[in-house]
Amino acid sequence: MESTLAPLTAKDFVTDQDVRWCPGCGDYSILKQVQTVLPELGIARENIVFVSGIGCSSRFPYYMETFGMHSIHGRAAAVASGLKAARPELSVWIVSGDGDSMSIGGNHLIHLLRRNFNVNLLIFNNEIYGLTKGQYSPASPAGKITKSSPMGSIDHPFNPAALALGADATFFARSMDRDPIHMREILKRSNSHKGSSVVEIYQNCNVFNDGAFEVFTEKGTKKMETLFVETGKPLVFGDGGNKGIKLDGFTPTIVDLTAGASANDLWIHDETDRVKAQILSRFFDDPKMENHLPRPFGVFYEEKRFCYEDAMLAQIAESIKTKGDGDLDALLRGKNTWKIN
Amino acid sequence: MSATLETRKNVAIMFAGDSGDGIQLTGTQFTDTAALLGNDISTFPNFPAEIRAPQGTLAGVSGYQLHFGSVEIFTPGDGCDVLVVMNAAALKANLKGLHTGGIIIANTDGFDAKNLKLAKYPDGVNPLKDSSLDKYKVYEIDVTKMTRTALADSGMGTKEIDRSKNMFVLGFIYWMFNRNMDNSIAFLKDKFKKRPDLVEANLKVLKAGYHFGETTETFNARYEVKAAVMQKGEYRNIMGNQATALGLIAAAKKSGIELFFGTYPITPASDILHELSKHKNFGVKTFQAEDEIAAVCSAIGASFGGSLGVTASSGPGIALKGEAIGLATMLEIPLVICNVQRGGPSTGLPTKTEQADLLQAMYGRNGEGPAAIISASTPSDCFETAYEACRIAIEHMTPVFFMSDGYIANGSEPWIFPQSKDLKPIKIEYAKERNPEDAKFLPYKRDEKLARPWAIPGTKGLEHRVGGIEKENETGNISYDPDNHELMVKLRAEKIERIADYVPLQTIDNGPAKGKLLILGWGSTYGSIKTAVIEALAEGYDVAHAHVRYLNPFPKNLGEILFNYETVLMPEINSGQLIKLVRDKYLVPAIGFNKVKGMPFTSTEIKEKIVELLKK
Ligand SMILES: Cc1ncc(C[n+]2csc(CCOP(=O)(O)OP(=O)(O)O)c2C)c(N)n1
Ligand code: SF4
């Protein structure tokens, strides 16, 4: 369903509602990038639906001039599954926080991914519960001091990339609120993937968890801590690209390109390689650790696999082919009847 | 030899055996044949809670009760006249239901030392051998041995041979009740189409059972139950859950909407899923979700998209769905929630019946989240009630609870099935496309029913956002304004109240329109109350029966009806739930009559209560 009207602009996706996130919240940037990217996708506005759960991030649909549903905590994936099954032609976007999607909604998240509904799932990861004012989340690092963990969290954190790939997601990418250009690129990639696309976006909650991703976003540290992956390109990071990553068997090792290591030996990123994607997803070290691996950004993995809604339609078509279009009177009458006169 | 043919008006047979004995199949085959011969029938299967309970134990007993007659039948029978038992445990578990003077047909092979021990009879005690069964007529048949003999040269293994024991019993019962076997022969031929050897074996055993009755001289009485005088028409047999599924499909087909069924398996609701998933050629989309929360949420998503979202469960699953049902109440979109009730709380009695989730449906959500509630009263009534649930959900843009329970969900009865052209029309109106120059779309502007427009994605100009946070009246924008909240709470309640303008008035099922005693029931107690009231009326008692289908809101004339009687008695398979709603709304001093044993009321229990109240 292509729109025949004049091309849409970012403004067409802005609602008349006041945006109520805290000033400086990373959510603003994500909203802006989504509104910027959508007009470029060529989807008629009325065919786009944003579905969210509950949390700061989940207020998102109210700010998008599309169809939208702000559902209940953790359940956006389930609502979107039903919507997509009912209306496969719609462009469905799920917006969720790290708590929303991985705590209360963890079950729905993994099942959405294994079924591979063709939806885009944006996880705004701020490693904290924002809306309930600052408790640790399943993504918070161990030892995190918060209102509900004054002595430090003793929970082992979820690794969203490993979780998604473990649930057989067919697309996983990571981006961050402070890198608009990268995020827009990733959003477009997410949209063009047919299947459940998980985009984890590092989002700064400047009120309850300010600076959680600073090392990845700030000039001084960014180069050493981030690794932008792109298919066909070697894994290179560092000042002027002075560091590279080599695979030693299955073990990623950092090599110094200025100290004799050859660029030809480096790991070349391949989005279609599941094993390598799994290894990449494990680049999840604490940046304070010595010799830690940098954090990857970009598309880790993409795979073609049938989508649930297509299989559902195929079964219906198959059933109609073999049994004929449902005849209600025949159904009501059943196989064995008798008459009483 | 010729046995005498004794005519009976009605007979209740209980087939009982180990869960591996094929009891349900035996029962349904006999039922189908009885129905085809024009008897009125009512059945109730009773499964063990465990799937593979240890063989031969009391926990593993599976039962199937069938009540058939030449008179109208409304229940599977308070007790039984004939008890067929495949083993000692089956006898022990069901003997208390057998009427004095009744017939026991016992498979003697199931009464060996091992089986007696498993059934927990004391050492050395065999009820077939002592005189404990003297008040009954006992027929002993070594079913196992005779089945094995019949198939001795079939080349099949003993295990496989023993599996057709139930056919021997069925054949024998056919002889005993003077029925022909044509229907079952056709059934077996169809069932084992791909295994001609099995067809042959089963037919052989079936006929062996029949001939056994004919040739042995042990049995000198045969029984005949003539065709019933029933309403004219074309009938089929139907089970409650199956009727529910057909009601949903019919509503979707009739209104031209797509049916989306999101569910998570639970006893005794799963058969609705099983039935619906067979009919994908109706465009039915069935979704077996990861849990009940996902099930109801997926249905909500589908309804948001313009389909008819339906979910089904039993009490424990409905508990999980609570928050999402509240969401649907705020979204004001159609949603049908089927609750096939069972014993509770918690996991409770999974395979036993109860009517104890009415207050859960009425109040089981946070805040004030009113929903419409309607309830089916017999297996075939599940059809019309499910259909009505869909109609109300769609036309009034609201969640609707469809209440059923294990007793009617698994029970079956003859049904004069409707023609699709005679089904009530269901009006679906999606909000229409808008142009930029049109006034802004108001997603929460209401019609005369107080229903809001159903504005589905894909419709140009209707882009809007809904959600669980309180809505501003008409615009649907988020609003924390105190006055607006109160207004919206009242509007949502009033919307449900107004449904009463669009549903039929309450009728009296039986008895005088004014008088001494009214029995007011709901749900699966229908058959027992009906039977009891028919008997009481025949004996001259001043009693009437009304059965409520519309539980929220009540039919507009319900209050009036209640005040036409000196006393109102309300039997319920719970500690008194509808009575709370009725007393609350009408301030009548209704009397509760309750049973919470995981068992339906017998008509005798109700009759005795009527007599007790009217004798005072
Ligand atoms: C059933 C239920 N339980 C708890 C809550 C409270 N709650 C709302 S948002 C939230 C966590 C939000 O954290 P996250 O998903 O990370 O989103 P953020 O606010 O950080 O964007 C919680 C616990 C709720 N709304 N519903
Ligand atoms: S609490 Fe944090 S996540 Fe929520 S709006 Fe404020 S800054 Fe953003």
Side-chain angles (χ1 to χ4, degrees):
Chain A
M1 280 190 253
E2 292 284 301
S3 177
T4 49
L5 293 170
L8 297 169
T9 65
K11 266 212 180 110
D12 293 310
F13 287 94
V14 177
T15 63
D16 59 1
Q17 301 295 295
D18 293 335
V19 184
R20 302 235 187 129
W21 288 312
C22 307
C25 174
D27 289 349
Y28 284 97
S29 161
I30 309 176
L31 177 64
K32 179 97 191 295
Q33 306 326 318
V34 172
Q35 287 170 335
T36 307
V37 162
L38 278 184
E40 299 174 30
L41 303 180
I43 310 166
R45 193 171 55 181
E46 64 271 17
N47 289 333
I48 301 173
V49 188
F50 279 82
V51 181
S52 66
I54 299 288
C56 293
S57 47
S58 287
R59 298 290 177 101
F60 201 90
Y62 290 118
Y63 310 137
M64 292 298 303
E65 188 60 35
T66 63
F67 281 89
M69 188 200 297
H70 180 219
S71 76
I72 46 179
H73 198 26
R75 318 302 174 193
V79 171
S81 299
L83 175 62
K84 191 70 188 175
R87 300 284 304 280
E89 75 277 17
L90 298 173
S91 170
V92 175
W93 297 70
I94 303 169
V95 175
S96 187
D98 47 314
D100 190 62
S101 61
M102 291 191 286
S103 267
I104 193 165
N107 196 29
H108 310 309
L109 171 71
I110 57 179
H111 290 279
L112 174 84
L113 299 183
R114 82 180 162 88
R115 291 187 182 113
N116 200 32
F117 278 101
N118 182 18
V119 295
N120 304 297
L121 167 60
L122 312 182
I123 301 177
F124 295 13
N125 185 359
N126 53 18
E127 294 187 350
I128 202 84
Y129 283 5
L131 195 70
T132 44
K133 301 199 167 71
Q135 302 83 1
Y136 63 94
S137 94
S140 302
K144 178 86 188 164
I145 303 228
T146 71
K147 262 191 205 151
S148 57
S149 55
M151 296 171 68
S153 160
I154 52 177
D155 280 33
H156 181 70
F158 258 139
N159 170 339
L163 176 69
L165 293 176
D168 280 351
T170 54
F171 181 97
F172 181 87
R174 185 184 287 139
S175 191
M176 49 188 146
D177 56 4
R178 297 279 167 90
D179 195 339
I181 298 169
H182 185 258
M183 201 200 310
R184 291 202 290 268
E185 220 29 63
I186 294 296
L187 290 171
K188 283 188 232 167
R189 284 289 313 271
S190 155
N191 174 69
S192 62
H193 172 70
K194 190 160 186 315
S196 299
S197 329
V198 184
V199 179
E200 181 194 12
I201 305 170
Y202 283 169
Q203 171 245 327
N204 193 40
C205 170
N206 57 312
V207 174
F208 296 110
N209 202 16
D210 197 23
F213 306 107
E214 212 163 34
V215 291
F216 310 120
T217 57
E218 296 317 301
K219 262 217 172 85
T221 47
K222 185 171 175 175
K223 281 187 179 143
M224 285 309 290
E225 298 298 339
T226 62
L227 170 69
F228 286 91
V229 296
E230 223 178 301
T231 272
K233 301 230 170 107
L235 301 197
V236 175
F237 66 106
D239 226 350
N242 62 348
K243 302 266 182 182
I245 296 191
K246 200 179 92 173
L247 263 185
D248 224 352
F250 289 116
T251 314
T253 17
I254 297 175
V255 293
D256 193 339
L257 295 171
T258 54
S262 157
N264 295 333
D265 295 340
L266 294 183
W267 166 349
I268 308 291
H269 184 53
D270 176 4
E271 290 163 8
T272 64
D273 189 326
R274 183 199 296 267
V275 176
K276 281 184 170 166
Q278 304 267 12
I279 300 172
L280 205 57
S281 76
R282 291 284 163 193
F283 285 29
F284 200 57
D285 302 337
D286 179 350
K288 288 192 282 294
M289 209 167 84
E290 224 175 303
N291 294 326
H292 64 273
L293 290 160
R295 197 65 63 91
F297 293 84
V299 179
F300 287 37
Y301 185 61
E302 178 168 24
E303 172 197 329
K304 278 201 177 68
R305 190 170 82 224
F306 75 91
C307 296
Y308 188 100
E309 64 271 31
D310 294 339
M312 191 176 223
L313 286 180
Q315 280 198 340
I316 289 174
E318 172 72 22
S319 173
I320 292 172
K321 208 171 107 198
T322 51
K323 296 205 237 164
D325 228 331
D327 174 346
L328 184 55
D329 280 303
L331 178 72
L332 296 180
R333 132 185 286 275
K335 278 190 188 151
N336 280 316
T337 69
W338 66 94
K339 274 203 170 111
I340 289 182
N341 299 312
Chain B
M1 72 154 276
S2 64
T4 55
L5 201 59
E6 187 185 310
T7 303
R8 291 273 184 102
K9 270 205 246 165
N10 60 321
V11 173
I13 305 187
M14 175 74 167
F15 297 96
D18 195 76
S19 42
D21 282 339
I23 292 298
Q24 303 301 326
L25 182 77
T26 315
T28 47
Q29 277 302 299
F30 194 83
T31 302
D32 287 351
T33 299
L36 284 171
L37 295 179
N39 293 131
D40 195 6
I41 49 177
S42 171
T43 73
F44 183 59
N46 201 355
F47 312 99
E50 293 76 20
I51 305 304
R52 294 272 175 270
Q55 266 192 352
T57 62
L58 288 162
V61 174
S62 161
Y64 184 99
Q65 182 146 324
L66 158 68
H67 190 191
F68 65 112
S70 57
V71 289
E72 276 189 288
I73 302 285
F74 301 102
T75 74
D78 287 2
C80 62
D81 308 298
V82 180
L83 174 61
V84 182
V85 291
M86 300 301 284
N87 62 21
L91 177 73
K92 194 167 197 188
N94 291 291
L95 188 60
K96 60 179 178 308
L98 182 63
H99 299 146
T100 306
I103 295 171
I104 296 172
I105 296 165
N107 169 30
T108 50
D109 187 55
F111 286 80
D112 61 10
K114 184 174 158 211
N115 275 293
L116 287 165
K117 194 165 174 201
L118 285 170
K120 301 218 155 73
Y121 279 103
D123 262 357
V125 172
N126 180 348
L128 298 181
K129 297 272 182 313
D130 57 27
S131 51
S132 61
L133 301 176
D134 280 359
K135 4 178 222 179
Y136 312 103
K137 267 180 250 157
V138 184
Y139 295 129
E140 296 181 27
I141 309 178
D142 193 337
V143 178
T144 312
K145 187 171 129 206
M146 273 180 293
T147 304
R148 286 181 189 168
T149 316
L151 295 180
D153 46 10
S154 65
M156 289 162 71
T158 317
K159 224 174 155 184
E160 207 170 1
I161 287 176
D162 283 356
R163 233 177 266 153
S164 48
K165 273 192 311 202
N166 58 339
M167 288 298 116
F168 189 92
V169 174
L170 183 63
F172 176 72
I173 299 290
Y174 278 146
W175 173 81
M176 192 167 169
F177 287 95
N178 198 27
R179 304 274 134 135
N180 74 52
M181 297 179 283
D182 297 353
N183 175 55
S184 289
I185 292 172
F187 167 83
L188 290 167
K189 283 184 174 161
D190 185 58
K191 180 174 163 88
F192 298 117
K193 249 190 318 243
K194 295 193 181 115
R195 294 279 313 266
D197 56 327
L198 287 185
V199 174
E200 203 194 329
N202 277 288
L203 291 186
K204 212 167 175 183
V205 178
L206 179 73
K207 288 177 185 165
Y210 193 93
H211 295 139
F212 174 76
E214 202 150 69
T215 49
T216 46
E217 308 221 335
T218 339
F219 310 101
N220 46 19
R222 290 176 82 184
Y223 303 89
E224 183 170 54
V225 180
K226 296 224 166 79
V229 183
M230 288 167 72
Q231 198 187 327
K232 276 185 194 152
E234 192 171 9
Y235 285 79
R236 66 170 288 183
N237 213 2
I238 196 145
M239 291 175 72
N241 273 339
Q242 192 186 15
T244 304
L246 296 195
L248 299 173
I249 295 177
K253 185 91 180 171
K254 186 79 183 178
S255 51
I257 194 177
E258 199 171 82
L259 176 62
F260 177 93
F261 185 72
T263 195
Y264 187 76
I266 185 169
T267 304
S270 303
D271 279 337
I272 302 175
L273 168 64
H274 303 161
E275 183 67 28
L276 285 174
S277 55
K278 281 195 252 176
H279 303 297
K280 294 202 159 107
N281 61 328
F282 282 82
V284 176
K285 290 179 174 166
T286 55
F287 181 64
Q288 185 177 315
E290 57 273 21
D291 60 26
E292 279 86 353
I293 300 175
V296 62
C297 285
S298 67
I300 289 172
S303 280
F304 182 65
S307 292
L308 172 58
V310 180
T311 188
S313 195
S314 194
I318 302 292
L320 288 173
K321 292 175 202 275
E323 186 192 9
I325 297 169
L327 173 67
T329 306
M330 289 296 261
L331 300 182
E332 303 196 37
I333 52 168
L335 175 70
V336 174
I337 310 122
C338 306
N339 183 354
V340 187
Q341 301 160 92
R342 63 189 214 178
S346 187
T347 301
L349 306 174
T351 58
K352 306 288 172 205
T353 209
E354 203 164 280
Q355 294 184 306
D357 298 342
L358 177 58
L359 295 181
Q360 180 192 38
M362 188 73 189
Y363 300 119
R365 285 165 301 287
N366 60 304
E368 301 196 357
I373 308 172
I374 67 177
S375 154
S377 51
T378 71
S380 71
D381 186 52
C382 289
F383 176 83
E384 210 183 314
T385 308
Y387 189 91
E388 270 292 88
C390 298
R391 184 185 67 80
I392 294 172
I394 290 169
E395 293 183 351
H396 297 262
M397 295 288 286
T398 178
V400 178
F401 279 92
F402 160 85
M403 310 296 283
S404 161
D405 65 36
Y407 182 56
I408 53 175
N410 289 323
S412 69
E413 65 179 354
W415 177 45
I416 304 188
F417 53 91
Q419 304 265 301
S420 61
K421 64 173 172 29
D422 300 328
L423 296 171
K424 239 190 220 180
I426 299 179
K427 240 178 45 219
I428 294 193
E429 261 178 87
Y430 297 124
K432 303 240 163 29
E433 201 174 296
R434 287 170 103 86
N435 295 315
E437 62 275 14
D438 292 340
K440 201 168 159 37
F441 173 61
L442 292 173
Y444 278 76
K445 196 164 167 69
R446 295 158 194 282
D447 67 9
E448 71 288 350
K449 301 192 294 293
L450 293 185
R452 74 178 194 90
W454 196 356
I456 65 171
T459 324
K460 223 181 250 173
L462 298 190
E463 292 85 350
H464 70 287
R465 275 67 52 195
V466 293
I469 298 194
E470 185 59 284
K471 305 273 151 291
E472 183 181 67
N473 189 25
E474 300 203 342
T475 66
N477 291 334
I478 291 183
S479 168
Y480 295 111
D481 177 69
D483 293 332
N484 176 74
H485 175 54
E486 190 164 295
L487 173 69
M488 292 302 275
V489 167
K490 286 184 173 157
L491 279 172
R492 285 187 288 263
E494 172 64 16
K495 181 175 85 163
I496 299 296
E497 282 306 312
R498 274 198 203 178
I499 294 172
D501 292 341
Y502 302 85
V503 303
L505 291 178
Q506 181 64 45
T507 54
I508 303 292
D509 189 78
N510 210 349
K514 263 184 190 331
K516 283 215 172 102
L517 176 65
L518 174 73
I519 316 257
L520 186 70
W522 70 283
S524 71
T525 50
Y526 179 79
S528 328
I529 300 176
K530 173 108 178 167
T531 309
V533 170
I534 288 176
E535 283 178 24
L537 283 169
E539 291 167 25
Y541 289 98
D542 184 3
V543 58
H545 172 202
H547 218 73
V548 206
R549 169 186 283 171
Y550 300 89
L551 298 173
N552 193 39
F554 287 131
K556 289 176 109 173
N557 62 334
L558 184 63
E560 236 171 273
I561 289 179
L562 297 176
F563 288 107
N564 284 335
Y565 299 87
E566 283 168 29
T567 308
V568 176
L569 176 73
M570 298 184 60
E572 295 182 74
I573 318 277
N574 60 42
S575 306
Q577 300 206 357
L578 183 63
I579 200 170
K580 285 199 173 70
L581 303 180
V582 166
R583 281 184 186 148
D584 176 33
K585 174 128 190 180
Y586 303 108
L587 302 174
V588 283
I591 303 172
F593 183 38
N594 308 92
K595 177 170 179 178
V596 207
K597 304 182 182 205
M599 299 284 289
F601 273 112
T602 64
S603 54
T604 314
E605 286 167 328
I606 296 192
K607 168 84 179 302
E608 280 167 0
K609 191 73 189 175
I610 295 173
V611 173
E612 177 197 318
L613 284 171
L614 292 178
K615 277 275 155 72
K616 266 184 202 163

